Amino acid sequence: MQHKLKIALAACGAGALLTSAAPAQRAPAGEASAQTAQARPGIDAPELARLGAHPVGVADVEFVQPAQADPLTGTAAPTVADRHLPLKIWYPAAAAGRGTLYRTGLPGEDGRDVVFTVAGIATPGAKAAVGRFPLVILAHGYSNTPEVLSWLGENLASKGYLVVTPAFRDPSITIRTAAAAAGPITRRPLDIAFVAAEAQRRATAGQGLFAGADPTRTALIGYSMGGYGVLTAAGAPLDPGLAAATRGVLAPYVAGARAADTLKVANLKAVVAISPASVIRGTPLWAKPGVGALTAPTLFIVGSQDRTVGYAPGVRTLFDDAVHAPRYLLTFREAGHSIGLIAAPPAMQRSFWDKDWFEDAVWRKDRLLAVEAHFITAFLDRYVKDDAAKASYLDGLVPNSNDGVWAGLTPGRHTEYSPGPPAATLWKGFQPGKAAGMSFEFKPAG
């Protein structure tokens, strides 16, 4: 993943293919069992990674935003046309179903999509559970698809969140044809702001699946280029230099411009930024104060060896700079950039290029995803659902996971979850020996 994103961010020429999400399919008998749904954590996962009480449904919906300028097309000026955004929606269901087998693809080394399947716990078209659930907008990375974030979308839906994941249809990333960075730079914040506002509007109006969403409790989650998008939609002002870089498309939205405030998502309760991009080709994406303009509680997640978006300077810098928001930083020491994607499906393990989209050089992918699901659950439950009991999973932790101890642990009870302070400094919700190689830090607003 790292070298692919670097290639994409190195040029602003026209892209080749457009990767789009494919509809979920009902799994043929026995086929889904060939893979393990990655929303379901392993037995060594921390406590809050486990699935919630709700069965999960999934649906495909399309939003259409009229008259959108495309910086990648047109000669004298960008082409203006309606923008069609396919959405994957994961939601709490009324009853358990048989699950699904998603079919999607990522660009291969030759630029053509390599198609693969992903097992899911969600059932297409399942009846929605009764209730109003917080709304989550989940934004994928460059040339990704919603399906590669199914581990998180399904997991959160089981815990009572309605998760809306747009398929941004980025230009393909290839070795021979560098994709146009101007497209994703332009569309991520515009698409996220539009999808959030439209989902909130439909929720208020009680339309379809969105009738089950609570528009007053909205969260944004983004990975990589999606991280840039959600931080912008949370209030980080776009750098004026992006106006020229996007052929004028972002000109009305940069800092100080007439439409800048329209990018801010209303009723925002929390933001999660996983390996967010903040600088491209040495040019900052945000004007001062950057993420210092954020006020919503924010959780940053990153690998210390992320050479795509950087650590320090990089994501750790963003954590330090977001001075007006209560914020957390989860660092996986020695991990790289691919921490936000599912583990490599069987079809993506046949070449280094394909497998490199997904797998980290050091960390087990199932371990990464389980730890992220644990902390994201604690964070959203606390700040979006106002569940005060989840604060103990976030606050007062020793910054270096290796320093945690549980002196009173009964010998032989190594599968128990740490109760946290004052009984233990081993991170709350982790099993003995399973909190290692990480750091977790907090800074209050102001």
Side-chain angles (χ1 to χ4, degrees):
M1 175 61 185
Q2 294 181 10
H3 65 283
K4 300 176 180 68
L5 183 56
K6 287 180 181 177
I7 289 169
L9 300 185
C12 290
L17 301 178
L18 292 179
T19 301
S20 60
Q25 301 175 353
R26 198 171 287 276
E31 189 173 358
S33 62
Q35 299 182 47
T36 299
Q38 297 185 39
R40 183 178 290 111
I43 57 175
D44 62 347
E47 183 180 3
L48 299 184
R50 62 192 178 194
L51 295 175
H54 295 279
V56 179
V58 62
D60 294 287
V61 175
E62 183 180 80
F63 282 178
V64 179
Q65 189 176 18
Q68 295 299 295
D70 181 0
L72 302 183
T73 61
T75 52
T79 302
V80 176
D82 292 352
R83 180 162 173 80
H84 293 253
L85 274 174
L87 309 172
K88 189 75 68 180
I89 302 177
W90 287 290
Y91 57 93
R98 62 181 294 182
T100 193
L101 197 66
Y102 304 110
R103 181 180 173 85
T104 188
L106 296 185
E109 193 167 0
D110 61 0
R112 293 179 294 181
D113 278 4
V114 179
V115 176
F116 55 90
T117 57
V118 181
I121 64 170
T123 299
K127 182 180 179 181
V130 176
R132 299 297 294 275
F133 304 101
L135 174 67
V136 175
I137 310 300
L138 177 60
H140 65 68
Y142 198 120
S143 269
N144 297 169
T145 66
E147 289 81 358
V148 297
L149 293 178
S150 59
W151 68 273
L152 182 56
E154 291 186 337
N155 188 283
L156 291 178
S158 79
K159 295 165 177 171
Y161 293 89
L162 191 144
V163 184
V164 179
T165 309
F168 297 109
R169 300 178 297 123
D170 297 323
S172 175
I173 297 174
T174 69
I175 285 180
R176 299 172 184 86
T177 304
I185 291 172
T186 302
R187 293 311 322 177
R188 277 303 185 282
L190 297 181
D191 288 345
I192 291 168
F194 166 67
V195 168
E198 180 63 11
Q200 290 172 340
R201 184 191 70 79
R202 296 189 185 198
T204 300
Q207 295 180 3
L209 279 175
F210 297 97
D214 181 352
T216 69
R217 293 183 293 165
T218 299
L220 302 176
I221 304 177
Y223 165 63
S224 193
M225 188 67 78
Y228 147 69
V230 300
L231 292 172
T232 304
L238 290 173
D239 191 279
L242 296 182
T246 59
R247 300 179 67 197
V249 178
L250 282 182
Y253 305 98
V254 299
R258 57 180 173 80
D261 287 344
T262 65
L263 293 182
K264 295 180 182 179
V265 171
N267 299 311
L268 183 60
K269 302 301 182 186
V271 182
V272 179
I274 305 170
S275 308
S278 60
V279 176
I280 294 179
R281 301 184 71 190
T283 301
L285 296 174
W286 300 301
K288 291 183 179 180
V291 294
L294 273 58
T295 57
T298 303
L299 170 62
F300 295 96
I301 303 175
V302 68
S304 69
Q305 296 301 315
D306 190 328
R307 293 183 173 88
T308 299
V309 299
Y311 183 66
V315 179
R316 183 173 189 88
T317 311
L318 299 180
F319 168 70
D320 291 334
D321 289 349
V323 294
H324 295 297
R327 70 272 194 202
Y328 300 82
L329 175 65
L330 171 61
T331 301
F332 292 99
R333 292 198 288 275
E334 305 307 318
H337 187 68
S338 63
I339 63 174
L341 305 185
I342 59 170
M348 297 298 282
Q349 299 191 38
R350 298 166 186 165
S351 77
F352 181 86
W353 172 279
D354 295 342
K355 189 167 184 175
D356 193 47
W357 275 108
F358 301 93
E359 299 300 339
D360 188 72
V362 175
W363 283 77
R364 278 171 36 205
K365 179 49 71 76
D366 65 320
R367 185 66 187 161
L368 283 166
L369 301 187
V371 172
E372 291 177 70
H374 169 86
F375 278 110
I376 292 172
T377 298
F379 178 72
L380 294 185
D381 282 1
R382 179 184 181 186
Y383 289 104
V384 181
K385 291 185 177 180
D386 296 322
D387 182 356
K390 294 302 194 305
S392 57
Y393 292 89
L394 300 167
D395 298 337
L397 305 185
V398 293
N400 186 343
S401 64
N402 297 14
D403 294 337
V405 296
W406 188 359
L409 178 66
T410 303
R413 301 300 295 273
H414 59 277
T415 60
E416 292 184 0
Y417 297 119
S418 169
T425 57
L426 175 68
W427 287 359
K428 181 175 173 63
F430 279 74
Q431 297 156 322
K434 295 300 180 180
M438 298 171 285
S439 62
F440 192 77
E441 302 165 72
F442 170 72
K443 289 188 177 183

